[in-house]
Amino acid sequence: MARKTSLSGFPEWLPEERLVELHVLDVLRESFELHGFSSIETRAVETVGQLLRKGEIDKEVYVVSRLQEDEDAAPAERGDDQLALHFDLTVPFARYVVENGGHLAFPFRRYQIQKVWRGERPQEGRAREFTQADIDVVGDGALPFRYDVELALVMIDALSRLPIPPFVLRVNNRKLAEGFYQGIGLQDTAGVLRNIDKLEKIGPERVAQALCDEVGATPEQAQAALQLAAIRTEDTSFVEQVRALGVNTQLLEEGLGELAEVVGEASRRAPGTVVADLSIARGLDYYTGTVYETVLVGHEQLGSVCSGGRYESLASTGKKIYPGVGLSVGVTRLVTRMLSQGMAAPSRKVPTAVLISLVDEESWSPAQDVAQQLRGRGIACEVSASAAKFGKQIKYAERRGIPYVWFTVRGEDGSLAHEVKDIRSGEQGSADPASWSPPAEDLRPVVRAAGS
């Protein structure tokens, strides 16, 4: 696990830890592209007004005052025009879609991997600077519900390729929940959702009390809301369990149908990885339908490592709306747990596969010739800096985690003889710099799950 840095909440990795993070990023990138998602990147800053236009968030945003055009203006005078670091990738993406809508082909499928910043209280799984990997599909005016199903399948495929424990994608539907709350007489559905979202943190008794105190629910209404939240199934049997609660509204039925479609298809294609969990609410107000959260089995206390949902009007020009559905992987949260629990490790600490040794100081230039040939075939290598004793050069390779050492010796007739030694096994044999390659598993570091 990475050492604590001098600035809390801003993680830094050692080289071998960074290899694990890069593996996660590479797997996610490859998976998203296999499903037809295009990569974009948005700027790191947005105006405060843009970041908060869907309502206040419960995280502190970091204002960047030196980027303001009028550096003499006091922060209070700038208001919504202040610039701040983005706290997620969804809100900037919504702005990006509105500004570039005329140049995009809809439905637009995008993935985005960038750092974000939040005023979190630092702890494992929560940092102030961290990396997210998002996928979204956005439509022009309308977006078929089928994409809600597809996004779940894409993320299951991506996460299944990572060296992590089993995971569960927990799915709910805001229409289902809001329709149920309206059916029992609770009109402040956003308030109910915000409190239900705290179930795992504070427990049902305190949530019930909060519903009565903050939303005006009766004890009976609060208990009905908790009964709904207690339903959890790995198939579509949740539909009958909800109907057995005796509430019937059009919005509830619409949400039941949508959730059944997601869970039914996902459970058929990836059994055991998806559950209908009617306690999932997602705190952000812009979600309007399907909502997702993902936890690692046995590591539920870490919180969700992947979440998202459907939004109907996050991106809008006033005359036109761009509905979408998306999921976001908390890469830093996931990697932090992988490292702290020893879930995965690279096969070596450095990219270098071969150290080219020096027999004497005059051999440095010929050694560079060998390195050039090896690199031309994609073999990472480095050349010793000095002609120390071979034992010392081998020790250097061992400390770096380099598996092979290359020896070049000039014969009495001026010819060069090349040999390569696997310093792990001690095996050594002749090699031709024009054709030699290490075994495929040694060509570059490989990140494997613990015990594999």
Side-chain angles (χ1 to χ4, degrees), residues 127-148:
R128 291 173 174 171
E129 178 184 71
F130 55 98
T131 301
Q132 287 189 184
D134 286 20
I135 54 171
D136 286 78
V137 180
V138 173
D140 183 354
L143 184 72
F145 177 77
R146 186 160 289 168
Y147 286 109
D148 292 45

Side-chain angles (χ1 to χ4, degrees), residues 18 21 23 61 103-104 156 184 198 214 225 243-244 317 329 335 338 352 373 380 409 419:
R18 173 64 169 159
E21 182 184 44
H23 175 74
V61 296
H103 304 283
L104 303 176
I156 290 170
I184 61 175
K198 302 174 184 176
E214 300 174 17
R243 288 175 176 158
T317 63
V329 180
V335 171
M338 292 170 68
T352 310
Q373 292 184 76
V409 180
E419 293 190 350

Side-chain angles (χ1 to χ4, degrees), residues 355-360 363 384 387-397 405-409:
L355 173 69
I356 302 169
S357 66
L358 301 182
V359 65
D360 53 39
S363 64
S384 287
K389 292 182 179 180
F390 282 146
K392 287 188 176 181
Q393 295 185 66
I394 292 173
K395 285 290 186 183
Y396 171 81
V405 176
W406 189 283
F407 301 99
T408 301
V409 180

Side-chain angles (χ1 to χ4, degrees), residues 100-122:
N100 296 283
H103 304 283
L104 303 176
F106 294 95
F108 178 49
R109 305 162 71 93
R110 88 77 159 92
Y111 78 87
Q112 188 172 348
I113 301 175
Q114 282 183 244
K115 286 187 180 296
V116 299
W117 295 266
R118 290 183 191 173
E120 298 273 18
R121 182 173 66 84

Side-chain angles (χ1 to χ4, degrees), residues 50-323:
Q50 177 70 27
L51 290 174
L52 304 184
R53 70 189 185 88
K54 286 296 179 178
E56 295 292 328
I57 62 166
D58 59 356
K59 308 298 179 190
E60 178 186 350
V61 296
Y62 291 118
V63 174
V64 186
S65 60
R66 287 298 300 273
L67 288 177
Q68 299 299 135
E69 292 183 7
D70 183 4
E71 293 185 0
D72 295 328
E77 296 175 5
R78 301 192 192 109
D80 286 352
D81 292 332
Q82 281 183 283
L83 295 180
L85 296 169
H86 55 222
F87 59 82
D88 76 354
L89 300 179
T90 303
V91 174
F93 174 56
R95 190 260 316 153
Y96 176 94
V97 169
V98 168
E99 293 182 357
N100 296 283
H103 304 283
L104 303 176
F106 294 95
F108 178 49
R109 305 162 71 93
R110 88 77 159 92
Y111 78 87
Q112 188 172 348
I113 301 175
Q114 282 183 244
K115 286 187 180 296
V116 299
W117 295 266
R118 290 183 191 173
E120 298 273 18
R121 182 173 66 84
Q123 54 186 298
E124 185 182 8
R126 292 189 180 276
R128 291 173 174 171
E129 178 184 71
F130 55 98
T131 301
Q132 287 189 184
D134 286 20
I135 54 171
D136 286 78
V137 180
V138 173
D140 183 354
L143 184 72
F145 177 77
R146 186 160 289 168
Y147 286 109
D148 292 45
V149 184
E150 183 180 353
L151 262 287
L153 297 176
V154 172
M155 194 56 72
I156 290 170
D157 179 48
L159 294 178
S160 297
R161 297 169 184 256
L162 295 174
I164 59 176
F167 61 88
V168 175
L169 181 63
R170 302 154 68 186
V171 193
N172 195 7
N173 190 289
R174 281 283 188 94
K175 296 176 185 177
L176 187 164
E178 292 179 4
F180 183 88
Y181 302 150
Q182 292 171 4
I184 61 175
L186 293 174
Q187 298 307 313
D188 183 7
T189 57
V192 179
L193 284 167
R194 281 193 295 272
N195 282 285
I196 292 296
D197 198 38
K198 302 174 184 176
L199 256 176
E200 292 186 352
K201 294 181 179 178
I202 66 176
E205 291 184 5
R206 292 176 62 186
V207 168
Q209 189 62 51
L211 289 173
C212 295
D213 295 343
E214 300 174 17
V215 185
T218 65
E220 291 76 19
Q221 289 172 322
Q223 287 305 310
L226 289 173
Q227 280 184 291
L228 180 73
I231 296 175
R232 178 186 173 101
T233 69
E234 294 186 2
D235 53 27
T236 57
S237 61
F238 69 88
V239 175
E240 293 307 315
Q241 292 186 37
V242 172
R243 288 175 176 158
L245 297 178
V247 178
N248 184 19
T249 67
Q250 182 177 349
L251 188 60
L252 168 63
E253 286 299 317
E254 186 177 344
L256 280 172
E258 289 183 354
L259 184 57
E261 188 173 344
V262 174
V263 174
E265 183 67 17
S267 61
R268 184 177 74 83
R269 294 187 175 275
T273 60
V274 175
V275 298
D277 186 336
L278 305 198
S279 69
I280 301 302
R282 301 296 300 146
L284 295 171
D285 292 341
Y286 53 68
Y287 292 121
T288 56
T290 308
V291 285
Y292 318 86
E293 286 193 355
T294 310
V295 294
L296 301 180
V297 177
H299 302 266
E300 289 80 3
Q301 75 281 5
L302 180 65
S304 178
V305 297
C306 173
S307 56
R310 159 75 71 142
Y311 45 89
E312 292 301 332
S313 59
L314 181 65
S316 172
T317 63
K319 296 181 179 180
K320 181 182 292 188
I321 64 169
Y322 298 96

